[in-house]
Amino acid sequence: MQRSVQQANGDSVLASPRKKQRVSNATTKVTVVLGAQWGDEGKGKVVDMLAMDADVVCRCQGGSNAGHTVVVDGAEFHFHLLPSGIINPRCTSVIGNGVVIHLPGLFEELESNEAKGLKNWRERLIISDRAHIVFDFHQQVDGLQELEKGTQSLGTTKKGIGPTYSSKAARNGLRIGDLLGDFDKFSQKFDTLVTSYQKMFPALQVDIKAELQRYKEYAERIRPLVKETVQYLHQALREGKKVLVEGANAAMLDIDFGTYPYVTSSNCSIGGVCTGLGLPPSYIGEVVGVVKAYTTRVGDGPFPTELLNATGELLQRRGHEIGVTTNRKRRCGWLDLTLLKFTAMVNGYTSICLTKLDILDTLPKIQVGVGYRLNGKEIDYFPSTTSDLVKVEVIYETLDGWQSTTEGVRSLEKLPPNAKKYIQLIEEHLGVPVKWIGVGAGRESVITL
């Protein structure tokens, strides 16, 4: 059925009430920074750099299992829950609904970084009321579950992230909004949640009364920071503010697309940005994939290009490859372009930030994984199962190293010719331009192309 609409000139036109012009509410596009490998690619430094031109920086998923280091004027800031962009004193930082928050850890992190020079965070930090809470007993359960698995353990950080997301999926988790609402109801739900875990783990001891008193105090400390963040972000975009999203963990740790079960418990690929902040896909603009110039991973799981030799030890030593969260040595290996093609396909990178190129400075020869063979046959996909991934034979391309320092270089033209060939190889295989190159730890040690 159609209706008549009277125009200003008096003429009548037919219009359908169901046909309305779709207009995007956002006046700016969101920039997203994602880890392209198994984490520890240097996302914190990239976010710190891009945050200089941002108004709002967001975390969308994960918890204190993430670890980002930013070096500013020689001072090292370590972030686990806070967006790295909080260092920028003009930025508002948002911890979105998809993040799981351990409140004692959050306040400890704030105090630690404040002592190092983090300024006026109380006026600039916003926390979603929909974010779920990680309790200490979730962390205990994380450790108990790892013990139960024995030799099949996953090597988790034991930060309680998996159990908290399990509570969320089981719909008996507790959110920040619950903590700030009716505290009697919060107490009842807390008791029910603890009891359910104690049935699964009889050894689990929780002083419910003491914990509730503790969280009553936390409620008042966090109350001034909490908002409904979906409306806040959409309003910021309507006002033309620049929003930057900082992915935690990395693509190969994504619970759907990573090397399952050796993964984290959240979607740390592009989909987690939408569900973790309440942003539609149409609002996303540039997607920066952060790629370390070689490959590392922490914990267990298959790693096709891993180097269990002196070269691997050299990368570990020169790259200071120690986990920020776990304090464990990272496993090191050659760059794996098959893996990167897969994560680029899933995430749709529009540009690449290549980090730690300087770590390769001393190598006479550099190998790059450019393909896989499975059961003697070359394949054009990244295997979905770990049983297949452990069997792949990596096809390598060998390049000459540059054997000269890149640490002080600030332009592409001044990079050694063989270093430029290395970058060109990456761009050719991925079909994505390298826009930044990291050649040192400091925020100034970046070549912008």
Side-chain angles (χ1 to χ4, degrees):
M1 181 178 178
Q2 293 182 314
R3 58 186 173 88
S4 179
V5 178
Q6 200 75 16
Q7 290 185 321
N9 61 8
D11 295 335
S12 178
V13 296
L14 289 175
S16 169
R18 288 180 288 182
K19 289 184 179 179
K20 295 181 180 179
Q21 186 178 7
R22 293 181 64 116
V23 179
S24 173
N25 288 325
T27 61
T28 56
K29 292 284 188 178
V30 175
T31 297
V32 179
V33 176
L34 298 173
Q37 295 150 302
W38 275 293
D40 310 305
E41 301 92 351
K43 295 182 292 297
K45 178 179 175 180
V46 179
V47 170
D48 173 57
M49 175 181 70
L50 297 179
M52 302 299 287
D53 191 40
D55 300 298
V56 184
V57 183
C58 312
R59 267 284 301 274
C60 60
Q61 45 69 227
S64 57
N65 56 336
H68 296 163
T69 300
V70 178
V71 181
V72 181
D73 298 328
E76 280 195 0
F77 293 84
H78 298 296
F79 300 110
H80 301 278
L81 277 163
L82 296 171
S84 305
I86 199 169
I87 292 179
N88 181 355
R90 61 176 288 274
C91 260
T92 299
S93 288
V94 173
I95 298 178
N97 58 274
V99 181
V100 291
I101 304 173
H102 183 243
L103 290 178
L106 175 64
F107 286 112
E108 183 181 324
E109 185 177 328
L110 283 163
E111 289 160 7
S112 171
N113 284 296
E114 188 175 37
K116 294 177 183 178
L118 178 64
K119 297 175 182 177
N120 69 319
W121 59 263
R122 289 172 183 82
E123 294 78 43
R124 299 188 294 109
L125 179 62
I126 297 173
I127 298 171
S128 171
D129 56 359
R130 289 184 170 92
H132 277 252
I133 301 171
V134 180
F135 295 104
D136 286 1
F137 67 79
H138 280 127
Q139 298 185 337
Q140 294 174 55
V141 167
D142 205 347
L144 291 169
Q145 288 176 332
E146 283 287 272
L147 279 174
E148 275 191 347
K149 291 170 185 154
T151 57
Q152 302 299 312
S153 67
L154 303 177
T156 76
T157 58
K158 299 182 179 66
K159 296 291 184 179
I161 309 306
T164 305
Y165 278 116
S166 294
S167 296
K168 178 178 178 177
R171 293 167 291 182
N172 61 2
L174 286 161
R175 307 199 292 185
I176 297 292
D178 296 316
L179 176 63
L180 302 187
D182 186 326
F183 198 77
D184 286 338
K185 287 185 178 178
F186 175 86
S187 302
Q188 292 167 13
K189 290 179 179 179
F190 182 86
D191 189 289
T192 300
L193 183 57
V194 171
T195 301
S196 70
Y197 272 113
Q198 286 177 328
K199 287 177 181 177
M200 290 185 279
F201 301 96
L204 180 66
Q205 298 294 314
V206 181
D207 186 335
I208 292 177
K209 186 177 179 181
E211 282 295 279
L212 286 173
Q213 179 56 42
R214 188 175 171 220
Y215 273 87
K216 201 166 192 177
E217 294 167 7
Y218 278 130
E220 297 317 305
R221 288 184 70 183
I222 202 170
R223 193 180 297 277
L225 307 174
V226 178
K227 280 189 180 180
E228 196 290 305
T229 54
V230 177
Q231 170 62 23
Y232 173 84
L233 286 175
H234 281 252
Q235 183 61 37
L237 288 165
R238 283 195 292 270
E239 292 171 1
K241 291 183 178 177
K242 294 180 180 178
V243 176
L244 176 65
V245 179
E246 170 182 349
N249 315 112
M252 292 314 300
L253 294 174
D254 185 279
I255 194 164
D256 284 297
F257 302 111
T259 47
Y260 189 89
Y262 301 96
V263 293
T264 191
S265 300
S266 63
N267 285 112
C268 31
S269 53
I270 195 70
V273 174
C274 299
T275 58
L277 292 169
L279 296 173
S282 58
Y283 283 23
I284 294 172
E286 185 164 10
V287 181
V288 181
V290 186
V291 176
K292 192 179 287 187
Y294 49 102
T295 310
T296 63
R297 83 172 293 175
V298 172
D300 300 322
F303 184 170
T305 63
E306 185 172 11
L307 289 165
L308 300 172
N309 56 19
T311 304
E313 290 174 8
L314 178 114
L315 293 174
Q316 195 280 326
R317 186 173 63 254
R318 280 182 54 80
H320 304 288
E321 297 296 351
I322 304 289
V324 176
T325 299
T326 62
N327 207 33
R328 291 179 290 185
K329 283 187 178 182
R330 297 180 187 129
R331 301 155 63 191
C332 297
W334 297 122
L335 189 67
D336 188 336
L337 292 176
T338 304
L339 178 154
L340 288 172
K341 280 182 183 178
F342 174 66
T343 71
M345 183 167 55
V346 169
N347 289 315
Y349 306 134
T350 57
S351 61
I352 295 291
C353 178
L354 184 68
T355 63
K356 289 197 167 185
L357 183 70
D358 56 301
I359 305 305
L360 305 179
D361 284 353
T362 63
L363 296 171
K365 297 286 182 181
I366 299 170
Q367 289 191 294
V368 181
V370 295
Y372 287 167
R373 290 191 188 93
L374 180 60
N375 301 321
K377 187 176 180 181
E378 193 168 341
I379 57 174
D380 62 356
Y381 61 91
F382 190 86
S384 304
T385 65
T386 54
S387 57
D388 278 346
L389 192 58
V390 295
K391 293 188 292 185
V392 298
E393 175 193 351
V394 181
I395 302 167
Y396 285 104
E397 186 166 329
T398 303
L399 289 78
D400 290 326
W402 42 95
Q403 293 187 283
S404 59
T405 184
T406 60
E407 203 167 336
V409 177
R410 294 295 177 268
S411 68
L412 181 66
E413 293 73 27
K414 293 185 178 180
L415 276 178
N418 286 343
K420 286 190 271 191
K421 287 179 183 177
Y422 190 72
I423 295 161
Q424 288 165 2
L425 179 73
I426 294 168
E427 289 183 322
E428 287 168 7
H429 275 262
L430 300 185
V432 182
V434 173
K435 195 170 180 180
W436 301 274
I437 305 164
V439 287
R443 59 161 49 161
E444 74 287 347
S445 303
V446 175
I447 300 168
T448 302
L449 306 186

